[in-house]
Amino acid sequence: MAEISETQVAATAPTRPVKRIRWDTIGDHAVLIAGALLMLVPVYMVFATSSWDAITIHREGMQFGFGEDMGVNYNAALFEYGGFTDSVNGVTMLANSMILGLGFAIGKIIVGMMAAYAIVYFRLRFATLAFWMIFTTLLLPLEVRILPSYEVITAMNLGNTYTGLIVPLIASATATFFFRQYFRSVPEELIEAARIDGAGPVKFFIDILVPLSKTMIAAMFIIMFVFGWNQYLWPTLITTDESLFTLVRGIRQIIQSYADGSETPDYGQAAALAIIAMTPPVLIVVFFQNWFVKGLTESDK
Amino acid sequence: MKRAAFGHISFPILLLLPQLVIIAIFFYWPAGYALQSSFYLEDPFGFGSTFVGMDNYTRLASSSSYMDAAWFTLIFTSLVTFFALAIALLLAVKADKVIRGARTYRTLLMWVYAIAPPVAGLIGVMLFDQSRGNITQLLGMMGIEYRLGVNYWDTASAMITVSIWKQIPVNFIFFLSGLQAIPQSVREAAMIDNRSGTRRFWDITFPLLAPTGFFLLIINITYSLFDTFGIVDTIVKGQPGNNPMTLVYRVFVDGFRGQDLGGSSAQSVVLMVLVLILTIVQFRFLERRIHYT
């Protein structure tokens, strides 16, 4: 069979030059593989290291091969209670990260979509003022106004609460801008048709605009969830109660035990916790990469 | 605003209310508070505060450690922005060129986006560890003594390396999308005109990518200034000491460790002005860009 098809190919294209090795294509792949390794290897090493006992890691550094302590380390990272008050384990932190990620993403999308709808679709005298008020929030990331934000939360008695953890993070306008941009690209005929059919503003929003924005909502959700999950500074400041720690916040605790140097830190367990902290957002980004890329490249323009 | 807009009054206000309330309480209040306290000197024990006018600002300008942080931030931002953009551009051009496996490469190169900065910092701490770090040992074999947390520039290089690593995926995604948006007809015309791939890149592709590149420049500067907080904090292990510090990290250190509310607030205001400038530049540019797209 193979012989026949080869002769056929040769017969139909007798003048085609002999296929030579394309060095530049190989070069392209070599660069890309090198780049992919640069991204992969450090995380692979953390993963491999998470399967070793603390003493080996303490002596030899991070590992390339796999050891025998994977079960032990992940079990400890997930279920062993730690911290000063022994009130937090990996599962609790996982749940808290999930609450922060979901709460932030959903809250931000709802609040942002509503505001964008009001700005784009209604004749409001103070629409411009509202727009500028919201717009200004882009000027001042939370990191910059961190100390006064902390004081405000303390004054409102919202320290160590989920509300205090989530709501202040919503106080920026990225989602509003994204939806404003998107709504403006929606054809005007749609709303005219909806009005002829007698649809009011609520009906138009829920029955037409929201379903139309489905892909955009999904893209926004992925970006916002990852952003919320990965928050570090704010949870570090306002959660002193360990039962409210997120995974990323827990990482700081590990680093601290590194810094103290008082005891041999449980490196294997630390690596396991790092892997647990990165898995959900990485999976979401990889599995929904088309939506993620769409959201990322279209939102900020 | 749409031409065929709704004419209600109370309904849109209701829609805007949640956003406005949240930003009033959690944005305007703290921001105003920062501006106000930047003119006051707060007693560290909470016994009231004194109006000191511009003192906090002049104190910053004459503080050599603040100026050191400002210089470090400038160097840090330039290096991170340059290398994160250059490496990502190279990878995006190659990924756009290969026909087979482009999607696989995209997946392999983008996922680091989802890793939290402090987790990236932790990986850095483990790789660059003074005695056990694999990179430290590698450098040791080449005769370079690397001491994280002890030598200022050794620590700085770890911060810069990890920050670049973390930022490559975002830039890669934007560059690749930008490249794939170049129409086939333009590519073919360029192919006919110019056989040299390098020349084609600099004469045609690069100018067409310039808008994306400029947008990314702003994004990367913002990233280096603010989002690297987690990386910086984990690499210095929460103990700044004589280690390099970015300006945002200093706002935190002075405010929470030093209990210097006025000084920290003045630093916030300085950064606020910096972001304001960046935003204006970005918007002026974006407006111009809308005209020709």
Side-chain angles (χ1 to χ4, degrees):
Chain A
M1 282 293 279
E3 253 175 77
I4 296 167
S5 58
E6 262 173 41
T7 44
Q8 274 174 340
V9 169
T12 48
T15 50
R16 192 172 290 172
V18 186
K19 202 172 182 185
R20 57 191 177 82
I21 302 166
R22 301 184 52 187
W23 287 108
D24 56 334
T25 311
I26 291 173
D28 293 343
H29 282 284
V31 170
L32 285 166
I33 290 165
L37 287 177
L38 175 75
M39 291 292 144
L40 280 166
V41 169
V43 176
Y44 165 77
M45 285 174 75
V46 178
F47 185 52
T49 305
S50 73
S51 69
W52 290 87
D53 58 300
I55 295 153
T56 309
I57 305 166
H58 187 69
R59 219 173 28 224
E60 297 166 23
M62 285 168 96
Q63 301 290 315
F64 279 101
F66 285 89
E68 284 165 357
D69 279 5
M70 183 157 284
V72 181
N73 285 335
Y74 280 86
N75 195 51
L78 280 171
F79 302 110
E80 203 169 90
Y81 283 86
F84 300 112
T85 54
D86 281 348
S87 60
V88 67
N89 65 4
V91 176
T92 318
M93 291 196 278
L94 198 65
N96 286 334
S97 290
M98 205 54 98
I99 292 169
L100 176 57
L102 289 176
F104 171 73
I106 295 170
K108 189 140 181 161
I109 287 170
I110 292 175
V111 168
M113 260 187 115
M114 279 165 61
Y117 182 50
I119 291 172
V120 175
Y121 281 96
F122 291 88
R123 258 184 262 279
L124 267 182
R125 202 167 303 150
F126 61 91
T128 323
L129 176 72
F131 175 77
W132 280 102
M133 270 187 73
I134 296 168
F135 171 78
T136 332
T137 60
L138 296 181
L139 298 180
L140 209 54
L142 186 66
E143 284 84 0
V144 176
R145 56 190 154 90
I146 193 73
L147 187 61
S149 297
Y150 175 78
E151 306 254 334
V152 165
I153 288 293
T154 318
M156 292 177 76
N157 252 329
L158 285 173
N160 286 319
T161 63
Y162 286 117
T163 317
L165 193 59
I166 296 169
V167 181
L169 291 172
I170 298 176
S172 91
T174 41
T176 311
F177 276 84
F178 168 74
F179 284 114
R180 171 178 167 267
Q181 218 56 4
Y182 181 69
F183 289 161
R184 288 170 92 176
S185 73
V186 171
E188 302 229 350
E189 290 77 18
L190 265 180
I191 188 164
E192 279 161 17
R195 292 181 83 180
I196 292 165
D197 287 347
V202 182
K203 203 173 163 52
F204 175 74
F205 185 57
I206 292 169
D207 287 353
I208 297 170
L209 209 55
V210 172
L212 203 66
S213 321
K214 239 176 3 207
T215 343
M216 292 292 141
I217 293 171
M220 255 309 92
F221 180 82
I222 292 160
I223 293 168
M224 295 300 168
F225 176 81
V226 172
F227 183 82
W229 180 283
N230 285 346
Q231 279 303 306
Y232 174 61
L233 179 56
W234 188 241
T236 300
L237 286 181
I238 79 140
T239 54
T240 45
D241 179 352
E242 289 181 347
S243 63
L244 283 163
F245 275 17
T246 62
L247 282 167
V248 177
R249 171 71 178 87
I251 298 288
R252 189 188 165 93
Q253 217 67 352
I254 298 171
I255 302 273
Q256 222 80 80
S257 76
Y258 251 104
D260 294 343
S262 49
E263 51 184 311
T264 309
D266 213 326
Y267 295 101
Q269 203 178 318
L273 198 65
I275 293 290
I276 297 167
M278 70 174 79
T279 304
V282 166
L283 286 181
I284 285 176
V285 163
V286 169
F287 278 114
F288 300 107
Q289 55 176 297
N290 286 336
W291 285 349
F292 164 72
V293 171
K294 198 174 163 65
L296 200 63
T297 49
E298 286 181 9
S299 63
D300 288 309
K301 288 181 187 173
Chain B
M1 210 198 327
K2 294 270 178 181
R3 208 158 21 87
F6 294 109
H8 296 252
I9 298 287
S10 51
F11 184 60
I13 294 176
L14 217 62
L15 286 171
L16 276 170
L17 213 58
Q19 172 112 58
L20 292 179
V21 168
I22 291 174
I23 63 174
I25 298 173
F26 299 109
F27 182 86
Y28 281 103
W29 186 8
Y33 191 42
L35 192 64
Q36 189 205 352
S37 42
S38 74
F39 298 111
Y40 284 84
L41 195 62
E42 185 116 343
D43 184 277
F45 301 103
F47 298 126
S49 48
T50 344
F51 182 80
V52 291
M54 297 298 284
D55 270 14
N56 286 320
Y57 293 94
T58 46
R59 198 154 50 92
L60 278 189
S62 60
S63 151
S64 67
S65 75
Y66 185 75
M67 284 302 140
D68 285 348
W71 272 113
F72 176 71
T73 308
L74 188 69
I75 294 164
F76 175 85
T77 305
S78 320
L79 289 174
V80 171
T81 302
F82 176 77
F83 283 106
L85 283 174
I87 296 169
L89 179 60
L90 173 72
L91 292 170
V93 169
K94 299 296 183 193
D96 183 50
K97 238 174 99 186
V98 302
I99 300 142
R100 236 165 288 199
R103 206 186 138 84
T104 312
Y105 285 125
R106 191 180 83 173
T107 310
L108 288 175
L109 285 164
M110 66 181 265
W111 60 283
V112 166
Y113 170 89
I115 293 176
V119 176
L122 177 69
I123 298 174
V125 167
M126 290 175 96
L127 284 173
F128 289 99
D129 187 276
Q130 216 190 112
S131 48
R132 292 172 295 275
N134 304 62
I135 294 178
T136 313
Q137 286 172 0
L138 202 69
L139 290 171
M141 277 189 267
M142 298 184 331
I144 302 165
E145 199 191 352
Y146 186 91
R147 294 187 303 164
L148 183 75
V150 178
N151 182 304
Y152 184 92
W153 287 108
D154 284 354
T155 314
S157 63
M159 282 177 191
I160 292 166
T161 311
V162 177
S163 302
I164 294 169
W165 181 73
K166 177 83 188 74
Q167 185 63 4
I168 289 173
V170 179
N171 296 341
F172 172 77
I173 292 163
F174 276 101
F175 276 134
L176 187 61
S177 308
L179 283 168
Q180 290 179 341
I182 297 174
Q184 198 57 37
S185 54
V186 174
R187 289 164 187 259
E188 276 162 13
M191 285 283 244
I192 295 163
D193 280 353
N194 205 331
R195 278 190 61 84
S196 154
T198 323
R199 280 290 303 279
R200 223 159 47 221
F201 175 77
W202 289 113
D203 291 351
I204 303 190
T205 318
F206 194 73
L208 283 173
L209 265 187
T212 311
F214 185 83
F215 167 76
L216 282 179
L217 187 69
I218 304 277
I219 294 287
N220 279 267
I221 293 172
T222 318
Y223 161 80
S224 312
L225 285 175
F226 304 114
D227 298 342
T228 50
F229 184 96
I231 294 173
V232 173
D233 189 45
T234 35
I235 287 185
V236 303
K237 296 174 184 167
Q239 299 179 334
N242 292 321
N243 284 314
M245 257 193 273
T246 56
L247 287 176
V248 173
Y249 194 60
R250 230 193 110 106
V251 172
F252 166 75
V253 168
D254 282 2
F256 284 90
R257 296 282 166 73
Q259 296 292 320
D260 177 11
L261 187 63
S264 174
S265 295
Q267 293 182 36
S268 289
V269 175
V270 170
L271 282 172
M272 190 161 103
V273 173
L274 205 64
V275 188
L276 181 70
I277 295 167
L278 277 176
T279 313
I280 291 171
V281 171
Q282 187 180 358
F283 268 79
R284 280 192 70 108
F285 172 79
L286 281 180
E287 241 172 330
R288 219 177 41 202
R289 184 169 146 207
I290 287 162
H291 287 296
Y292 62 78
T293 46

